[in-house]
Amino acid sequence: GAGVSQTPSNKVTEKGKYVELRCDPISGHTALYWYRQSLGQGPEFLIYFQGTGAADDSGLPNDRFFAVRPEGSVSTLKIQRTERGDSAVYLCASSFSGSHKETQYFGPGTRLLVL
Amino acid sequence: AQSVSQHNHHVILSEAASLELGCNYSYGGTVNLFWYVQYPGQHLQLLLKYFSGDPLVKGIKGFEAEFIKSKFSFNLRKPSVQWSDTAEYFCAVTGAAGNKLTFGGGTRVLVKP
């Protein structure tokens, strides 16, 4: 596709439920990032994939959060036992090779609301 | 750990006014600096970036930013804004060896026609 796509665009769930958020990066981009943006704040880094492996997961807030990228393309962010504080916009970005000088291209985000 | 602060949360301007948005970062090593913009209903997109060389960087849509190392600053400027510049602007930084972006809190800019 032309850009990074994310599905669903909106997700409403109840406290304690499990959710999966999907990211489809720009074709050919080996680096994929997840960020979380809470209301009124800038995006915060969660995890970075280089190919299939998580190269840096230092931003994941706790063990309820997990992400995979099994074939080095599409990635899924998984949140177990959701809490109201998980409500935020989850952003995915990709870049060509993961160099710190590269532009990261962002998707439209998934707006998660935990009731 | 690196951090980024943006001085203004909200800015309201009239068309043709000049815009300057402040950005300061804290990080002891070499940094790469970015300004991203989010127009209403759209996703984040890059305005400009700085790695090395000329500290005055020109980006898209008439924006420019100046890196002042001694002040740990990377302020964004535009001499004459248009209504279409209404958006939220984010300053961000990566360190020399790391590629995760650290963002500031953003500045919402409203340009009145």
Side-chain angles (χ1 to χ4, degrees), chain B residues 100-113:
Chain B
K100 59 186 178 187
L101 287 163
T102 299
F103 284 87
T107 299
R108 287 186 183 271
V109 174
L110 173 62
V111 180
K112 298 189 292 185

Side-chain angles (χ1 to χ4, degrees), chain B residues 49-64:
Chain B
K49 57 186 177 181
Y50 172 80
F51 306 128
S52 62
D54 188 346
L56 186 62
V57 181
K58 294 192 183 300
I60 61 171
K61 304 188 180 186
F63 284 90
E64 64 179 30

Side-chain angles (χ1 to χ4, degrees), chain A residues 7-71:
Chain A
T7 55
S9 53
N10 293 280
K11 176 71 177 178
V12 181
T13 191
E14 294 179 343
K15 180 175 177 295
K17 298 289 187 184
Y18 167 84
V19 296
E20 289 189 352
L21 311 178
R22 175 188 166 109
C23 172
D24 204 335
I26 293 172
S27 178
H29 281 193
T30 62
L32 184 146
Y33 312 79
W34 285 98
Y35 294 84
R36 178 170 72 172
Q37 186 173 18
S38 300
L39 195 62
Q41 298 182 23
E44 294 178 305
F45 170 79
L46 295 176
I47 187 169
Y48 155 57
F49 284 90
Q50 181 55 255
T52 60
D56 184 351
D57 65 356
S58 61
L60 294 178
N62 51 60
D63 61 6
R64 293 188 298 106
F65 288 75
F66 189 71
V68 296
R69 194 186 185 199
E71 297 179 357

Side-chain angles (χ1 to χ4, degrees), chain A residues 86-115:
Chain A
D86 298 335
S87 297
V89 177
Y90 289 81
L91 297 169
C92 178
S94 70
S95 69
F96 181 69
S97 70
S99 162
H100 60 277
K101 295 184 178 183
E102 285 179 345
T103 298
Q104 294 181 25
Y105 296 88
F106 283 81
T110 292
R111 189 175 298 274
L112 176 66
L113 177 61
V114 182
L115 300 175

Side-chain angles (χ1 to χ4, degrees), chain B residues 24-64:
Chain B
N24 284 91
Y25 64 92
S26 72
Y27 183 67
T30 302
V31 292
N32 309 294
L33 297 152
F34 304 79
W35 276 97
Y36 278 84
V37 61
Q38 187 166 25
Y39 298 103
Q42 297 186 28
H43 54 271
L44 276 167
Q45 53 188 285
L46 184 72
L47 264 182
L48 48 79
K49 57 186 177 181
Y50 172 80
F51 306 128
S52 62
D54 188 346
L56 186 62
V57 181
K58 294 192 183 300
I60 61 171
K61 304 188 180 186
F63 284 90
E64 64 179 30

Side-chain angles (χ1 to χ4, degrees), chain B residues 7 23-26 67-75:
Chain B
H7 312 302
C23 171
N24 284 91
Y25 64 92
S26 72
F67 171 55
I68 303 180
K69 189 175 181 179
S70 61
K71 295 185 177 180
F72 297 90
S73 71
F74 189 55
N75 292 354

Side-chain angles (χ1 to χ4, degrees), chain B residues 13-29:
Chain B
L13 302 165
S14 297
E15 277 194 312
S18 64
L19 173 70
E20 181 160 359
L21 302 181
C23 171
N24 284 91
Y25 64 92
S26 72
Y27 183 67

